[in-house]
Amino acid sequence: MSGHDQLVLCLCELTRLLWKLLLPLVILCALLLTVLVLLVLAVRYWLQSSRNARRARDGRPTVAFLHPYCNAGGGGERVLWCAIRALQNRYTDINIVVYTGDLGVTGQQILEGARRRFNIVLPRPPQFVFLRHRMLVEPNLFPHFTLLGQSIGSIFLGWEALTEFVPDLYIDSMGYAFTLPLFRYFGGCSVGSYVHYPTISTDMLSVVRERNPRFNNPDYVSNSLFLSAFKVVYYCLFALLYGMAGSCSDLIMVNSSWTLDHILSLWRAPNRTSVVYPPCDVSAFLDLPLEEEVDKKCHSIVSVGQFRPEKDHRLQIRAFKKVLDRRREGPGGRESLKLVLIGGCRNQQDEDRVLMLRGLCQELGVGDRVEFKLNIPFEELKRELAESTIGLHTMWNEHFGIGIVECMAAGKVILAHKSGGPKLDIVVPFEGGQTGFLADDEDSYAEAIDQILALPPASRLQIRRNARQSVARFSDQEFEICFLAAMEPLMGTLER
């Protein structure tokens, strides 16, 4: 037998062997798939039985919000409480549940915090379900592959929430898109989402592709061609998974035109997506006087925003340093300016960040002209805004910017980052008039501050008037109208 014949014979025997193994392999795969499907159906049946028993006991449907940091003092929390208030005012025959990870406080203390920080009082107290594993979504738990780690952690946190309480309608109000398929397919719930900021965006991809160092793209990555290429692939794969998870939502609300563009490109559900601007307490600031600042001895620059890295308080301090450097010592010069940083601290990491910012102020020699106001009550916030001249905001691609709207409603001259929501939705001309200023780096911020302070008081007053009139579209009342209109199709599916 020739070598060629032997080779053909061996290939034939190998083919027969593989064919004999194929059938058992197919049967095994089918068996495993059947077991998996039965397991999913069993879990779904168990969870729905729990919901049906609760419905029989309560006699009314339940709407649940996942908001693990509901006791924080940011714009996302204001959206949560205004959304709950709107639903309770419109639908008196529903229960409201809030999944939270704030274990150190009671439900009553959380509601008191909402009243003190946001001037919001709910018609009826909601039920709080306290989750024990909020640390699974903490970014410091995942020093590398943070987006993926937090998303996987959110699935486990969502599972804890679902097994603790199965609602009829589930709303993700904090951006944990990977919990949506969990509640939809396992819990059998209708699901909706209010997206403040896409977990990943094309802007983030462009930062990595261009090897641009930022807070979410450290120098050791941007300086390496291999790591940058790897991160681009990682981001693209994650964006695909994120889009698949988000597309499970029956209803999608986004907070700005910028967020809308990104969510449409990722989740690809235009018929289920609408813009619902977040509620800003515009009316609470309308009683602040709007007059010419004649002979004002000291100008205060106020920043309102949580002490998170993306808010870029370092840019504010460095720009302020440049402004002071151009001024002489004494009255009318350096002593006539101060920077006030107002914001909430969610955790120890935020408090450590404040300490680093204080250290930066001392290092730059501006410590005597910078004040920090942490977790202050609403009335103190109003006082600070009343005394200020400029409202400062420096976050790149801020999704919206409730603090910006509040400053404009208070009649301050706003200076925000030339990107995201501020550029597209907020600091835009009103009836042909200017409503504020935009900048994008230390020099342009410093120049804009100098320009604002150099304006005649009458010119500043006109900008302030335009700004105050323009933000009426971001009021609590407008939010409630748009939110309830968006929610109506889902609320109509609930059996009462």
Side-chain angles (χ1 to χ4, degrees), residues 470-492:
S470 73
V471 297
R473 66 193 189 278
F474 304 129
S475 66
D476 285 4
Q477 293 74 23
E478 286 295 319
F479 168 80
E480 291 192 6
I481 292 171
C482 296
F483 177 77
L484 290 173
M487 287 287 293
E488 189 171 3
L490 277 189
M491 297 301 295

Side-chain angles (χ1 to χ4, degrees), residues 73-90:
E77 287 67 58
R78 194 169 207 289
V79 171
L80 170 70
W81 302 123
C82 285
I84 293 175
R85 182 175 63 185
L87 288 176
Q88 288 185 331
N89 285 332
R90 177 72 169 271

Side-chain angles (χ1 to χ4, degrees), residues 232-242:
V232 167
V233 174
Y234 160 55
Y235 270 11
C236 289
L237 292 175
F238 182 84
L240 178 64
L241 293 175
Y242 178 64

Side-chain angles (χ1 to χ4, degrees), residues 190-292:
S190 298
V191 296
S193 54
Y194 188 95
V195 184
H196 298 275
Y197 196 88
T199 303
I200 191 167
S201 66
T202 53
D203 291 324
M204 293 169 65
L205 282 167
S206 66
V207 165
V208 180
R209 285 196 185 103
E210 296 166 7
R211 299 171 64 185
N212 184 5
R214 286 189 180 271
F215 76 92
N216 60 348
N217 194 45
D219 291 340
Y220 72 87
V221 174
S222 61
N223 291 333
S224 169
L225 181 62
F226 171 76
L227 290 179
S228 293
F230 179 81
K231 191 168 184 178
V232 167
V233 174
Y234 160 55
Y235 270 11
C236 289
L237 292 175
F238 182 84
L240 178 64
L241 293 175
Y242 178 64
M244 293 171 61
S247 64
C248 295
S249 188
D250 298 306
L251 166 68
I252 305 163
M253 293 171 280
V254 299
N255 68 341
S256 69
S257 302
W258 181 86
T259 306
L260 175 67
D261 291 340
H262 288 286
I263 289 300
L264 287 179
S265 67
L266 291 165
W267 292 14
R268 302 183 183 279
N271 296 333
R272 289 173 274 149
T273 307
S274 58
V275 177
V276 178
Y277 290 124
C280 306
D281 200 2
V282 174
S283 60
F285 297 97
L286 297 182
D287 58 344
L288 297 180
L290 198 59
E291 303 168 347
E292 281 194 28

Side-chain angles (χ1 to χ4, degrees), residues 156-198:
F156 286 98
L157 188 66
W159 177 253
E160 180 187 356
L162 184 58
T163 53
E164 288 286 338
F165 190 99
V166 186
D168 299 278
L169 171 56
Y170 167 75
I171 305 294
D172 165 38
S173 57
M174 207 171 167
Y176 297 116
F178 287 85
T179 63
L180 296 171
L182 191 68
F183 276 81
R184 179 171 183 173
Y185 297 117
F186 282 88
C189 312
S190 298
V191 296
S193 54
Y194 188 95
V195 184
H196 298 275
Y197 196 88

Side-chain angles (χ1 to χ4, degrees), residues 52 93 106 108 119 145 160 265 281 285 294 327 331 348:
N52 293 337
D93 58 342
T106 64
Q108 183 58 42
N119 200 28
F145 300 98
E160 180 187 356
S265 67
D281 200 2
F285 297 97
V294 181
R327 293 174 172 263
Q348 186 60 48

Side-chain angles (χ1 to χ4, degrees), residues 70-71 81 100 102 105-114 128 130:
C70 73
N71 198 40
W81 302 123
T100 178
D102 297 299
V105 292
T106 64
Q108 183 58 42
Q109 288 172 325
I110 292 174
L111 296 177
E112 175 60 25
F128 290 93
F130 292 91

